[in-house]
């Protein structure tokens, strides 16, 4: 894919009213998610769960793309179609997680750096032949006593830039994900300061690695008080703090910003995204690339029992529809009751 096609793909991923489903949980993370509903994680069960998500009737109405994990892009639906092909067939763009998780950053206790650059060129080429049109790499920044260090921010930003350049070389749109975790007691102001410093460094490194910003997307955290901070913030405060940080750090050549949910309750994530879009227009599309905030209710409804398939799919469609409304700034909590779940 050339730069023009990659730019078109990046724009299609943030089309109005749509966002991305992150279904790229690694095998250990999927084990945690399934254990939380009392299930053992087997390859067959992970496949069955993803099958339910991806075959939801009407998925393409609000979902522009799905991020897959290595195991999933190699799996097939119950009907025998490869998942990437099945998604593309209903107008949903398949993508792939290409980082290999985090490891402790030597010399910096409590900080991590993301691995996965070794052999990445070859893996990207293979994923492209399997139908992936975009990629994702997640870096993790923690806030705490003396953290984050400048070294941690710089090392992670460099990894993101090297990954993004390799992705574009392979014709895949890079989603650049520097996540400042919400764990801790820090204030929203501290999160704003750390997120701004991180994003600024990320864009310095992307420029030095000659990444074409028009053919990339950013996947950041929202600017939030720490989970254990006594002063929590309203959706409006979060929206304003987040937009202020983005304006100070993200070039306008970037077509879209797709937020991660990062452990926020699902309805809160929707409300906060909606509050941001009520403050539009902004220089970039403000959208979602949620994992937990889209999947938590569906995992519960399914519970490992395929006779609950319709209910689980209805729940997924509903959450996607609510976030689709938040893309326009037209969501209201009343819609949670009103939107019919019998649609499917
Ligand atoms: P969450 O929305 O659950 O944070 O997942 C998004 C993601 O892709 C994390 O890398």
């Amino acid at each position: 894919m050339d730069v023009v096609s990659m730019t078109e793909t990046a724009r299609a991923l943030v089309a109005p009213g749509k966002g991305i489903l992150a279904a790229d949980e690694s095998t250990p993370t999927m084990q945690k998610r399934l254990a939380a509903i009392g299930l053992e994680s087997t390859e067959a069960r992970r496949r069955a769960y993803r099958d339910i998500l991806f075959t939801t009737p009407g998925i393409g109405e609000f979902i522009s793309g799905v991020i897959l994990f290595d195991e999933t892009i190699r799996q097939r639906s119950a009907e025998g179609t490869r998942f990437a092909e099945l998604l593309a067939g209903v107008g949903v763009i398949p993508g792939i997680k290409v980082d290999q998780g985090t490891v402790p950053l030597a010399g910096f206790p409590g900080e991590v750096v993301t691995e996965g650059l070794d052999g990445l060129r070859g893996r990207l080429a293979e994923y492209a032949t399997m139908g992936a049109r975009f990629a994702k790499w997640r870096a993790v920044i923690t806030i705490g006593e003396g953290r984050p260090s400048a070294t941690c921010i710089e090392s992670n930003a460099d990894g993101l830039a090297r990954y993004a350049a390799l992705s574009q070389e392979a014709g895949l749109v890079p989603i650049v994900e520097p996540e400042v975790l919400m764990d801790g007691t820090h204030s929203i102001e501290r999160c704003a300061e750390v997120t701004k410093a991180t994003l600024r460094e990320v864009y310095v490194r992307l420029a030095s690695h000659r990444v074409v910003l028009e053919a990339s997307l950013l996947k950041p955290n929202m600017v939030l008080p720490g989970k254990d901070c006594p002063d929590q913030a309203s959706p409006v405060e979060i929206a304003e703090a987040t937009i202020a940080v983005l304006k100070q750090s993200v070039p306008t050549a970037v077509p879209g910003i797709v937020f991660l949910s990062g452990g926020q309750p699902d309805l809160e994530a929707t409300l906060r995204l909606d509050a941001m879009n009520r403050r539009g227009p902004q220089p970039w599309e403000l959208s979602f690339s949620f994992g937990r905030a889209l999947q938590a209710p569906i995992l519960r409804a399914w519970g490992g029992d395929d006779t609950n398939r319709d209910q689980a799919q209805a729940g997924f469609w509903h959450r996607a529809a609510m976030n689709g409304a938040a893309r326009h700034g037209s969501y209201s909590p009343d819609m949670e009751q009103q939107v019919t779940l019998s649609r499917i």
Side-chain angles (χ1 to χ4, degrees), residues 213-330:
L213 298 184
E214 289 81 351
S216 75
L217 295 173
L218 174 68
K219 175 163 174 169
N221 51 286
M222 295 184 192
V223 173
L224 304 169
K227 231 172 19 200
D228 300 318
C229 170
D231 285 331
Q232 287 301 313
S234 69
V236 168
E237 287 165 334
I238 289 166
E240 289 181 350
T242 305
I243 290 169
V245 164
L246 296 173
K247 281 189 169 160
Q248 291 166 17
S249 49
V250 185
T252 56
V254 175
I257 295 174
V258 293
F259 293 100
L260 59 92
S261 59
Q264 302 176 60
D266 38 4
L267 269 59
E268 295 287 301
T270 307
L271 262 177
R272 293 162 178 175
L273 177 65
D274 181 71
M276 282 187 242
N277 279 309
R278 282 176 192 265
R279 279 155 185 76
Q282 303 297 342
W284 344 258
E285 291 289 328
L286 294 180
S287 185
F288 58 91
S289 174
F290 294 159
R292 283 161 285 181
L294 276 168
Q295 294 184 53
I298 298 84
L299 262 171
R300 278 195 301 274
W302 170 59
D305 180 351
D306 283 347
T307 61
N308 297 330
R309 188 182 180 93
D310 290 354
Q311 229 178 327
Q313 290 188 329
F316 173 51
W317 185 88
H318 175 77
R319 223 37 276 129
M322 297 298 96
N323 286 301
R327 285 282 286 109
H328 296 297
S330 62

Side-chain angles (χ1 to χ4, degrees), residues 79-226:
E79 285 170 4
T81 314
R82 277 190 192 280
F83 281 134
E85 202 184 315
L86 180 140
L87 290 166
V90 292
V92 175
I93 304 172
I96 182 79
K97 177 232 260 325
V98 299
D99 68 72
Q100 295 181 320
T102 60
V103 290
L105 180 63
F108 294 84
E111 299 196 290
V112 294
V113 67
T114 301
E115 287 195 319
L117 288 170
D118 288 354
L120 182 56
R121 178 176 272 124
R123 289 192 288 123
L124 285 163
E126 186 193 10
Y127 291 138
T129 66
M130 295 170 102
R133 288 171 53 202
F134 69 99
K136 183 197 101 170
W137 175 288
R138 172 174 177 257
V140 177
I141 305 292
T142 52
I143 300 182
E145 199 56 45
R147 300 195 308 265
S149 63
T151 306
C152 177
I153 293 177
E154 286 160 15
S155 306
N156 277 294
D158 205 56
L160 281 165
R162 289 182 58 195
Y163 135 79
L166 281 163
S167 270
Q168 290 188 337
E169 182 190 83
L172 271 63
V173 171
I175 296 192
V176 173
E177 180 180 6
E179 174 174 5
V180 177
L181 293 181
M182 59 191 266
D183 299 336
T185 55
H186 55 269
S187 64
I188 189 170
E189 290 79 13
R190 178 76 180 130
C191 178
E193 183 179 64
V194 171
T195 304
K196 184 163 78 179
T198 303
L199 295 178
R200 284 184 170 178
E201 186 63 28
V202 165
Y203 283 101
V204 166
R205 298 291 170 134
L206 289 182
S208 81
H209 283 268
R210 303 182 175 169
V211 173
V212 181
L213 298 184
E214 289 81 351
S216 75
L217 295 173
L218 174 68
K219 175 163 174 169
N221 51 286
M222 295 184 192
V223 173
L224 304 169

Side-chain angles (χ1 to χ4, degrees), residues 43-60:
E43 199 254 7
R45 192 165 270 150
R46 293 190 293 272
R47 199 210 56 74
Y49 172 63
R50 262 74 180 243
D51 191 286
I52 292 175
L53 278 179
F54 304 160
T55 59
T56 296
I59 181 176

